C-alpha cells in the first residue's frame, strides 16, 4: 500500500529538474504548478516516489491490456462473438487500479451482465479505440453507447467511465478525466477548461488541449505519455497533495 501523499512533506527542489529554458509567460499559473509538482517529486517524472505512487500501477494496467486485449485479440474475440469475455477482461484490468469509484465499478459490472450490454460495450469500445473515423466521431459514438448501456441503479455515463479504457489501452493518445480534480487543476494553471458534466467531444478536446499545454511547458522534464500528464494534473488538483 502506498504512503498517503498527505504524509509526504514537500521536498527541496532538485536543481536540475527545476532548471528550465521554457518561458512560463503563456498561462499565469504554469510556473507555480510546476513548482508544486517538484516539491512533492523533486526528480520530476523519474522520481522513484512518483513512479511508485502515480505511474507504476497505471502502466501495469496498460501492459495487461496489451497482453490480454490488444487490437488483434479484441478483433479476434469480436469475430468469435465473445462479447462477455471482452467486457470481463476490460473490467478486470481496470478493477486492479483505483481510477474508478466503487459505485462506478459496480454500475459498469451490472451494465455488461446482459448479452446486449456486453455486445454494445465490446463492439463500441473497439471502434472507439481502433476505428477509422475521425476522433471526434468515435468519441461521441462511444459516449452514446455508454449512455445506452443497461442501468440498474447508478448511471453508467460518467466522465471517469468513458475515459478510463482509452487511457489504459492507449496512453500515448488518450487521457483520463476526473472532473473535480481536473477543474481545480485547470483553474490553478490558468487554463480555460471547457467543462460540461455530460460527456462530449467538446469537453474531451478541451482536456486534450490542456494536456498539450502541460506537455509543452514540462517538456524539459520529458513526460512520456498521457499517464505522466494525467498524474501531473492529479497532483495539482487532488486534496491528497494539499500543502
Amino acid at each position: 500500500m502506498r504512503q498517503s501523499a498527505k504524509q509526504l512533506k514537500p521536498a527541496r527542489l532538485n536543481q536540475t529538474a527545476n532548471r528550465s529554458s521554457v518561458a512560463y509567460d503563456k498561462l499565469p499559473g504554469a510556473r507555480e504548478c510546476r513548482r508544486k509538482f517538484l516539491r512533492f517529486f523533486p526528480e520530476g517524472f523519474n522520481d522513484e516516489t512518483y513512479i511508485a505512487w502515480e505511474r507504476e500501477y497505471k502502466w501495469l494496467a496498460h501492459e495487461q491490456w496489451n497482453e490480454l486485449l490488444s487490437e488483434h485479440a479484441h478483433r479476434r474475440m469480436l469475430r468469435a462473438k465473445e462479447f462477455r469475455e471482452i467486457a470481463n477482461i476490460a473490467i478486470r484490468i481496470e478493477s486492479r487500479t483505483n481510477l474508478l469509484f466503487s459505485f462506478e465499478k459496480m454500475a459498469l459490472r451490472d451494465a455488461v451482465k446482459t448479452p446486449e450490454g456486453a455486445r454494445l460495450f465490446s463492439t463500441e469500445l473497439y471502434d472507439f479505440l481502433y476505428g477509422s473515423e475521425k476522433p471526434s466521431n468515435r468519441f461521441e459514438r462511444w459516449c452514446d453507447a455508454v449512455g445506452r448501456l443497461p442501468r440498474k441503479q447508478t448511471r453508467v455515463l460518467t466522465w471517469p467511465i468513458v475515459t478510463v479504457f482509452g487511457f489504459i489501452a492507449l496512453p500515448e493518445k488518450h487521457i483520463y478525466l476526473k472532473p473535480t480534480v481536473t477543474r481545480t487543476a485547470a483553474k490553478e494553471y490558468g487554463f480555460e477548461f471547457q467543462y460540461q458534466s455530460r460527456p462530449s467531444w467538446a469537453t474531451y478536446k478541451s482536456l486534450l488541449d490542456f494536456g498539450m499545454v502541460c506537455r509543452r511547458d514540462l517538456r524539459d522534464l520529458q513526460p512520456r505519455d498521457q499517464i505522466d500528464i494525467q498524474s501531473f494534473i492529479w497532483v495539482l488538483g487532488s486534496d491528497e497533495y494539499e500543502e
Side-chain angles (χ1 to χ4, degrees), residues 226-242:
Q226 299 282 35
I227 293 176
D228 285 342
I229 298 303
Q230 185 272 333
S231 298
F232 175 76
I233 291 171
W234 178 261
V235 171
L236 301 186
S238 172
D239 59 10
E240 289 185 2
Y241 289 97
E242 287 181 351

Side-chain angles (χ1 to χ4, degrees), residues 154-174:
T154 306
R155 66 191 178 98
V156 186
L157 185 59
T158 68
W159 272 112
I161 287 178
V162 299
T163 56
V164 70
F165 296 109
F167 180 62
I168 292 173
L170 300 171
E172 69 278 10
K173 293 182 179 179
H174 290 292

Side-chain angles (χ1 to χ4, degrees), residues 62-73:
H62 170 62
E63 289 185 322
Q64 290 172 345
W65 192 284
N66 281 344
E67 179 183 352
L68 300 174
L69 203 55
S70 65
E71 180 178 0
H72 174 75

Side-chain angles (χ1 to χ4, degrees), residues 42-196:
E43 299 295 330
F45 297 115
N46 291 317
D47 192 280
E48 289 184 3
T49 303
Y50 164 75
I51 292 171
W53 287 11
E54 296 296 342
R55 181 175 176 84
E56 187 172 38
Y57 74 94
K58 298 167 188 172
W59 183 253
L60 287 175
H62 170 62
E63 289 185 322
Q64 290 172 345
W65 192 284
N66 281 344
E67 179 183 352
L68 300 174
L69 203 55
S70 65
E71 180 178 0
H72 174 75
H74 198 154
R75 184 169 60 248
R76 174 180 53 78
M77 285 188 281
L78 282 179
R79 288 173 177 169
K81 298 185 178 181
E82 296 174 350
F83 306 128
R84 184 64 182 274
E85 180 63 12
I86 293 169
N88 286 345
I89 291 172
I91 290 172
R92 186 166 63 248
I93 292 172
E94 188 288 321
S95 71
R96 295 168 182 159
T97 75
N98 62 2
L99 294 171
L100 295 182
F101 288 127
S102 58
F103 70 86
E104 291 170 322
K105 294 176 188 285
M106 185 177 299
L108 193 54
R109 286 195 299 267
D110 288 341
V112 299
K113 282 181 178 178
T114 66
E116 176 56 24
R119 185 200 64 79
L120 181 62
F121 175 87
S122 58
T123 55
E124 293 299 333
L125 178 60
Y126 181 89
D127 286 343
F128 167 55
L129 295 176
Y130 311 117
S132 58
E133 290 189 61
K134 62 182 182 179
S136 58
N137 289 350
R138 300 204 319 260
F139 187 80
E140 291 287 3
R141 281 188 55 184
W142 171 236
C143 291
D144 178 68
V146 173
R148 289 187 286 119
L149 288 172
R151 172 179 174 176
K152 189 173 182 180
Q153 290 182 330
T154 306
R155 66 191 178 98
V156 186
L157 185 59
T158 68
W159 272 112
I161 287 178
V162 299
T163 56
V164 70
F165 296 109
F167 180 62
I168 292 173
L170 300 171
E172 69 278 10
K173 293 182 179 179
H174 290 292
I175 196 165
Y176 176 60
L177 175 53
K178 280 280 196 181
T180 301
V181 167
T182 306
R183 293 167 73 187
T184 299
K187 182 178 180 180
E188 292 297 317
Y189 211 90
F191 181 84
E192 294 186 10
F193 180 38
Q194 304 300 312
Y195 176 75
Q196 294 180 346

